[in-house]
Amino acid sequence: MASSNLQFKTNYAVSSKIEPFYKGGKVQISKDEKYIFCTCGTRVNVLDIATGKIVHSIEQEDQEDITSFAVSPDDEFLVTASKALLLKQWDWKQAQCTRSWRAIHTVPVASMTFDPTSTLLATGGCDGTIKLWDVLKQYCTHNLKGSSGVVHLVQFHPDMELLQLFSSSMDCGIRVWDLRSSQCVCVLQSHYSTVTSLALTPDGGTMVSSGRDKICTVWDLKSRTAKRTVPVYEAVEGVVLLPEDEDLSCIGVQSNELHFITAGSKGVLRVWEASTARCVFSQSLVAASPPGSEEGGLEADDPRCLTYCLPLPLSSRLATVTAEHNILLYQLPALTTQQQFVGYSDEVLDVRFLGNGDSHIVVATNSSQIKVFELATSSCQILHGHTDTVLSLDVFKKGSMFASCAKDRSVRVWCMDSESGRVSCLAQGCSHANAVGSVTCSRLKESFVVSGSQDCTLKVWDLPERTATPSGDTHLLTARATEKAHDKDVNSLAVSPNDKLLASGSQDRTAKLWGLGDLALLGVFRGHRRGVWCVAFSPMDQVLATSSADGTAKLWSLQDFSCLKTFEGHDASVLKLIFVSRGTQLLTSGSDGLVKLWTIKTNECVKTLDAHQDKVWGLHANHKDDKMVTGSADSIITIWADVSEVEQAEEQAKQEDQIIKQQELSNLLHEKKYLKALGLAISLDQPHTVLRVVKAIRHGTNGKELLERTILKLRLDQKEAILGYCVVWNTNARSCQEAQAVLQVLLSHLPPEELITYQGARSHLEGLIPYTERHMQRIGRLLQASMFLDYMWQKMRVTGAPTRMDSPDEEEMDTALLPELFMIDRELGGKEKDDGQERKKEQEEEGNDCEPDVCPDHVEEENDEESVTNKAPVRTVENGESKKANVDKGVPARPRCHGPGGETLPESSEQ
């Protein structure tokens, strides 16, 4: 097994996250082209293009969805509109709202834009009105009426001297508004469907409009007429004018005439010459279209359809947004893909580390596309090939190749180029009769893959000898072996480290062990009460781990197929498990959104990690075993780092620091530097240590004055801390005196106005009152008991001492302080005297057999009246020594010893 010096893992910490930042809606790029602004429900996220990280997140306090937003051209501020009919102005760099006002629109705002001077803001509402706002002077300047339906497009003329605004609504016309007269001066009619985009030349003389009626129109704004209609044969969502002063010959631009790029339902960028209405360049689709789609195009709901096209003129780039919420950056002039960002991954079904040094992760989501993320920049490479949802992934040992399977009944093998990082498809196998739900790769060499399907079969696919550089053609795989394995869906597969064994887990509640040579069944693991979700071989021992929908994980022996251990802790299905720490620990993930770390030897759950809100389908560890990645149905991918050694080092350093401070504290107490000692004890945040210092101060010379001076010299935060400690001390009778002493100093020297400002002062005082009252009651009872003892001391008499009952004044003095409820028998002395004389006569008549010195047989109880001395012990004198005598009910008579002649020895009050 593992070596004895192996350090168990104790904790993981979140290193980074890949979260959804765009779920549809408007996208805008800052003027300096460093940031992308996009909506995500109630937030506007600001994405740093260089790093791919979310640097700012502006969220509505009222939790209302944002319907539109606009960033000023000078990048100074951001304005958002929500369903609550509020407009808010933000300092987006600080994520602070600087101003908010009512939008006046009766329904939510659908579109908004700034003029080139960042002074005027135009908002188009769903009520058919357009309102203009002076954001500097903060008032509404125009209210433009006349549009029919939702105003989904507003745009200012680039020449602000003209003071013109363009808008489009549901009537498919383009309205030109004169802001001086607040009138619509013209309606440009050409489109028969929604107008989606407007692009104007810098001089403002020409405009190109696009629509979903599959045409683009070139307008002469001086004459306000259509110069040419360009049929583009696709629903166009965005149009961008190409610069005229650059060499763009590589994309078909051969003249200085007006050219523009369209993006739409075909999912490709195309370049058009405006004068001839001719397409001079068209991108090619990355992969073949799914069966059933039109030749050379995509279906209307295909995730690759483009919804936005935005120019980045400073860096000569274009940005496009796909229907699947991916943002792609293209570099001109060749329109090569530069960066890709995934705005929303939907449900993450599987995730694996990939590449040299585990620099990338490959992710399968609820989509036909596979996403490969570069961890350093969060840039994503989107792989097209499967035509239905990808369900499972597995990576070969070297990390540059991986396999995928999908609902399209196919298995694909992919390879990453170590230099460029580009991923291409090497091989494909398609012979399953149903969706392929699991796939696993060989461990020793890149020689085969095994797939398991919902058709209940296993297939082994041999891979061809891979060349140094993968060719552009995809190799077609054939299955070497096929076996009917289970009665229900095959959920998981695993290959042993020596490539000789195969394990399969199924929905039929069993796991099975197979020989990989001919797929011969070697044994069946039975014991789970629900379907088996995952199987995994130990890298060191001959054991198999399984996880199930019954909420447990089990370890099985490969020798006799018996269950060795069962791990219980998840509240729902355990979806995935892996071995870590050289096979001595397990990581499991479940439907409860939790990841648990288990130590196999002790069956103990060491740590529970909670970073997801939904099912954790994906779980994988890197080659160095110091990181892991999880993917969940909440669309979040989390990278975890092993912090066990770091935490142990921190704990050791903390203990060493505590020892040093404790020694310093002891030295300060020895040197009687109480102020520094008390401050150090408070800084250690140890109430018991502070209590020890306070006791040392009180027990010293002039302790009360010294404690008072020391506490008053403390800082404000230290006084707050010691007040909190007093609450704890006051709950214990052993330390309540120190607590009350500190409270006396604070309450007598600090004004109530200052005390009430202390952090938690109210709760502290509320905690002090009941225990203080209880201590006062205890002290009252103690005082009463001490008075009772004083009385008893006065009443105790020793045999042979002269009686003091003759003095009524002393009797009154002794009982003056007692409560009235105590009854005192003042005739006790006389009665005892008569009893003694009678007893003497009886003894003279009958004779006395007692010894001269001791006569215990003559001790009698003579008074049945209750008094305060009922439970008090009395003493007898035997041989000159004092001895307690037990007393039952009634007033005990003082014991007497008789001399040889029967006389009674005199009483004495002293020993």
Side-chain angles (χ1 to χ4, degrees):
M1 207 160 174
S3 60
S4 59
N5 60 354
L6 174 67
Q7 293 292 328
F8 286 148
K9 301 182 187 302
T10 57
N11 194 13
Y12 284 85
V14 176
S15 174
S16 61
K17 284 187 177 184
I18 300 176
E19 300 181 86
F21 61 86
Y22 173 61
K23 295 183 178 180
K26 185 177 179 179
V27 175
Q28 188 173 344
I29 298 175
S30 62
K31 188 177 182 180
D32 59 9
E33 301 178 4
K34 293 182 180 179
Y35 304 101
I36 298 176
F37 296 80
C38 45
T39 56
C40 185
T42 63
R43 306 190 307 273
V44 174
N45 290 320
V46 184
L47 184 75
D48 190 334
I49 295 177
T51 62
K53 304 293 185 182
I54 299 174
V55 293
H56 301 290
S57 185
I58 293 94
E59 186 169 7
Q60 295 282 119
E61 295 179 356
D62 53 9
Q63 296 297 312
E64 290 286 346
D65 286 344
I66 294 175
T67 58
S68 185
F69 73 92
V71 182
S72 62
D74 57 6
D75 290 342
E76 288 299 322
F77 50 88
L78 165 77
V79 176
T80 61
S82 67
K83 289 185 177 180
L85 306 182
L86 282 177
L87 294 176
K88 291 191 176 184
Q89 181 175 319
W90 302 81
D91 179 1
W92 62 270
K93 296 178 182 178
Q94 303 295 329
Q96 293 181 350
C97 179
T98 58
R99 178 188 168 218
S100 63
W101 68 96
R102 301 294 297 180
I104 306 180
H105 292 278
T106 57
V107 286
V109 174
S111 58
M112 63 170 60
T113 187
F114 276 96
D115 75 327
T117 64
S118 302
T119 302
L120 292 178
L121 172 69
T123 59
C126 296
D127 54 2
T129 64
I130 303 170
K131 303 186 188 302
L132 274 76
W133 309 84
D134 189 324
V135 293
L136 299 180
K137 298 181 181 179
Q138 303 181 359
Y139 69 97
C140 179
T141 60
H142 298 76
N143 185 14
L144 308 179
K145 298 180 180 180
S147 302
S148 59
V150 178
V151 181
H152 59 267
L153 178 63
V154 288
Q155 187 166 335
F156 282 94
H157 194 283
D159 186 1
M160 279 307 295
E161 294 182 356
L162 297 178
L163 283 177
Q164 289 183 351
L165 177 72
F166 300 91
S167 70
S168 180
S169 60
M170 301 302 293
D171 58 5
C172 307
I174 302 172
R175 296 179 180 270
V176 183
W177 301 86
D178 184 2
L179 300 183
R180 290 187 175 89
S181 61
S182 299
Q183 297 296 322
C184 177
V185 296
C186 179
V187 179
L188 305 179
Q189 295 285 357
S190 173
H191 293 278
Y192 296 95
S193 184
T194 304
V195 178
T196 56
S197 175
L198 300 176
L200 289 87
T201 56
D203 59 4
T206 305
M207 180 177 71
V208 179
S209 63
S210 64
R212 293 182 182 141
D213 52 3
K214 301 184 179 182
I215 64 170
C216 290
T217 304
V218 182
W219 302 89
D220 184 353
L221 294 181
K222 295 180 180 179
S223 61
R224 297 171 184 167
T225 58
K227 295 169 60 176
R228 180 172 291 277
T229 298
V230 182
V232 295
Y233 307 108
E234 68 169 334
V236 181
E237 297 292 337
V239 60
V240 173
L241 299 181
L242 287 175
E244 298 179 356
D245 55 350
E246 294 185 15
D247 181 15
L248 302 174
S249 57
C250 58
I251 54 174
V253 178
Q254 304 296 334
S255 65
N256 292 330
E257 298 293 331
L258 180 65
H259 291 75
F260 60 89
I261 294 180
T262 59
S265 59
K266 288 190 176 182
V268 295
L269 296 176
R270 294 193 291 172
V271 181
W272 301 83
E273 188 176 27
S275 59
T276 61
R278 184 170 57 93
C279 179
V280 296
F281 176 81
S282 178
Q283 281 184 323
S284 58
L285 286 174
V286 179
S289 302
S293 63
E294 297 179 2
E295 183 67 25
L298 301 175
E299 295 179 346
D301 57 350
D302 192 277
R304 283 178 284 179
C305 295
L306 302 180
T307 58
Y308 284 95
C309 185
L310 307 169
L312 287 79
L314 296 180
S315 57
S316 298
R317 291 185 294 178
L318 286 176
T320 61
V321 182
T322 69
E324 206 178 37
H325 311 120
N326 301 326
I327 301 175
L328 292 82
L329 297 181
Y330 296 96
Q331 184 66 54
L332 289 173
L335 286 179
T336 55
T337 304
Q338 187 187 50
Q339 285 179 285
Q340 301 181 64
F341 302 103
V342 176
Y344 182 60
S345 296
D346 202 2
E347 189 170 355
V348 179
L349 301 181
D350 206 354
V351 61
R352 291 286 191 276
F353 281 102
L354 181 67
N356 294 330
D358 299 313
S359 59
H360 295 69
I361 56 172
V362 55
V363 181
T365 64
N366 193 17
S367 165
S368 61
Q369 302 171 355
I370 298 175
K371 301 174 178 67
V372 179
F373 290 91
E374 185 179 0
L375 294 178
T377 63
S378 295
S379 180
C380 179
Q381 185 180 165
I382 300 172
L383 308 180
H384 302 275
H386 288 287
T387 57
D388 207 339
T389 303
V390 180
L391 297 176
S392 182
L393 302 167
D394 196 21
V395 180
F396 288 90
K397 186 174 182 179
K398 291 184 178 179
S400 60
M401 289 179 60
F402 67 95
S404 63
C405 62
K407 286 185 178 180
D408 59 6
R409 308 176 186 178
S410 70
V411 176
R412 286 179 177 263
V413 179
W414 308 78
C415 179
M416 171 182 280
D417 190 331
S418 58
E419 296 181 359
S420 64
R422 308 302 299 175
V423 179
S424 57
C425 183
L426 290 181
Q428 177 185 9
C430 303
S431 63
H432 277 289
N434 209 331
V436 185
S438 59
V439 66
T440 187
C441 302
S442 57
R443 301 292 100 184
L444 296 179
K445 297 181 180 179
E446 298 166 350
S447 56
F448 65 88
V449 296
V450 184
S451 60
S453 169
Q454 291 181 7
D455 59 12
C456 307
T457 63
L458 303 176
K459 290 183 182 289
V460 181
W461 312 80
D462 285 330
L463 299 182
E465 292 292 334
R466 185 166 62 92
T467 58
T469 57
S471 61
D473 298 332
T474 300
H475 184 81
L476 188 61
L477 299 176
T478 56
R480 168 167 60 89
T482 302
E483 182 69 29
K484 172 74 164 57
H486 291 273
D487 296 331
K488 292 184 179 180
D489 302 354
V490 179
N491 289 334
S492 178
L493 296 172
V495 174
S496 63
N498 61 2
D499 280 352
K500 293 183 178 180
L501 300 175
L502 172 71
S504 62
S506 170
Q507 205 66 29
D508 63 5
R509 307 180 187 181
T510 65
K512 294 185 178 182
L513 188 67
W514 309 83
L516 264 174
D518 53 357
L519 283 184
L521 180 63
L522 302 179
V524 181
F525 305 95
R526 292 187 175 91
H528 284 294
R529 301 186 303 275
R530 296 288 185 274
V532 178
W533 276 114
C534 185
V535 293
F537 283 98
S538 169
M540 305 297 291
D541 302 306
Q542 293 186 4
V543 295
L544 179 75
T546 60
S547 65
S548 169
D550 60 11
T552 65
K554 291 179 180 289
L555 282 184
W556 309 83
S557 170
L558 298 183
Q559 303 295 330
D560 55 5
F561 310 106
S562 62
C563 180
L564 302 176
K565 287 181 179 290
T566 299
F567 302 91
E568 296 180 325
H570 287 277
D571 295 331
S573 301
V574 184
L575 302 177
K576 191 79 76 173
L577 59 79
I578 56 174
F579 283 92
V580 292
S581 304
R582 301 186 210 169
T584 59
Q585 290 182 297
L586 276 176
L587 279 170
T588 60
S589 64
S591 296
D592 50 10
L594 302 177
V595 177
K596 290 181 178 289
L597 175 64
W598 308 82
T599 298
I600 294 176
K601 184 177 181 179
T602 61
N603 241 42
E604 176 189 3
C605 178
V606 179
K607 190 70 177 179
T608 298
L609 308 173
D610 186 4
H612 295 284
Q613 304 299 323
D614 210 336
K615 302 179 183 69
V616 182
W617 288 106
L619 175 66
H620 192 232
N622 65 344
H623 287 90
K624 293 182 179 180
D625 203 21
D626 60 351
K627 288 184 179 180
M628 71 166 176
V629 59
T630 56
S632 171
D634 59 8
S635 187
I636 296 177
I637 301 166
T638 306
I639 313 297
W640 304 81
D642 179 15
V643 295
S644 304
E645 294 183 1
V646 176
E647 288 187 347
Q648 290 175 2
E650 290 178 351
E651 183 64 26
Q652 184 176 358
K654 185 178 179 181
Q655 290 178 358
E656 292 175 355
D657 185 58
Q658 289 283 345
I659 293 173
I660 294 174
K661 288 185 175 180
Q662 290 288 354
Q663 183 61 45
E664 183 181 356
L665 180 62
S666 300
N667 295 339
L668 291 173
L669 289 176
H670 181 71
E671 297 171 3
K672 296 185 178 181
K673 296 179 179 179
Y674 294 121
L675 180 60
K676 291 184 178 180
L678 193 59
L680 180 59
I682 293 174
S683 67
L684 291 174
D685 194 20
Q686 296 179 353
H688 182 72
T689 305
V690 179
L691 177 63
R692 188 158 58 91
V693 176
V694 173
K695 285 183 176 180
I697 296 174
R698 292 187 69 235
H699 293 162
T701 307
N702 297 326
K704 182 177 180 181
E705 293 78 6
L706 184 59
L707 179 65
E708 182 177 320
R709 291 197 305 269
T710 304
I711 291 178
L712 293 178
K713 289 179 181 179
L714 294 176
R715 300 192 309 269
L716 177 63
D717 59 325
Q718 294 173 335
K719 292 178 183 177
E720 292 178 352
I722 202 170
L723 179 61
Y725 298 156
C726 287
V727 179
V728 180
W729 302 340
N730 199 47
T731 60
N732 194 327
R734 296 180 180 179
S735 56
C736 66
Q737 295 183 16
E738 284 71 23
Q740 294 296 327
V742 173
L743 284 175
Q744 181 182 5
V745 175
L746 293 176
L747 295 176
S748 60
H749 291 83
L750 299 180
E753 295 79 9
E754 180 180 347
L755 282 173
I756 207 66
T757 60
Y758 285 6
Q759 184 178 2
R762 293 182 181 273
S763 59
H764 292 338
L765 295 176
E766 290 175 358
L768 286 167
I769 292 173
Y771 282 98
T772 302
E773 292 176 348
R774 186 178 301 178
H775 294 320
M776 292 301 297
Q777 293 172 2
R778 180 172 55 82
I779 293 173
R781 292 193 299 269
L782 184 62
L783 180 60
Q784 290 181 3
S786 65
M787 295 172 64
F788 172 75
L789 290 176
D790 181 67
Y791 172 77
M792 287 302 303
W793 177 253
Q794 295 293 337
K795 294 303 171 188
M796 289 175 62
R797 299 292 182 265
V798 179
T799 308
T803 181
R804 300 172 62 183
M805 297 298 292
D806 303 334
S807 174
D809 296 336
E810 186 176 352
E811 180 74 17
E812 293 295 333
M813 179 186 66
D814 291 342
T815 60
L817 299 177
L818 291 177
E820 295 180 357
L821 58 92
F822 295 127
M823 298 176 61
I824 303 171
D825 189 359
R826 301 182 183 275
E827 300 177 355
L828 181 62
K831 187 174 182 179
E832 289 179 352
K833 189 174 182 180
D834 297 338
D835 292 341
Q837 294 176 353
E838 293 177 359
R839 189 181 295 110
K840 183 177 180 181
K841 293 179 180 180
E842 293 175 356
Q843 290 173 353
E844 289 177 350
E845 295 175 355
E846 298 178 1
N848 187 5
D849 299 331
C850 294
E851 294 294 331
D853 296 331
V854 181
C855 191
D857 294 335
H858 292 280
V859 179
E860 297 178 0
E861 296 179 358
E862 309 227 346
N863 191 356
D864 293 333
E865 184 179 353
E866 292 290 337
S867 72
V868 295
T869 60
N870 282 356
K871 297 181 181 180
V874 295
R875 297 178 182 271
T876 61
V877 177
E878 296 181 351
N879 296 329
E881 295 181 358
S882 175
K883 184 177 180 180
K884 291 184 180 180
N886 294 329
V887 181
D888 294 327
K889 295 182 180 179
V891 178
R894 290 180 175 81
R896 298 169 175 79
C897 291
H898 305 279
E903 72 276 14
T904 302
L905 295 177
E907 295 182 353
S908 176
S909 60
E910 296 181 1
Q911 189 74 18

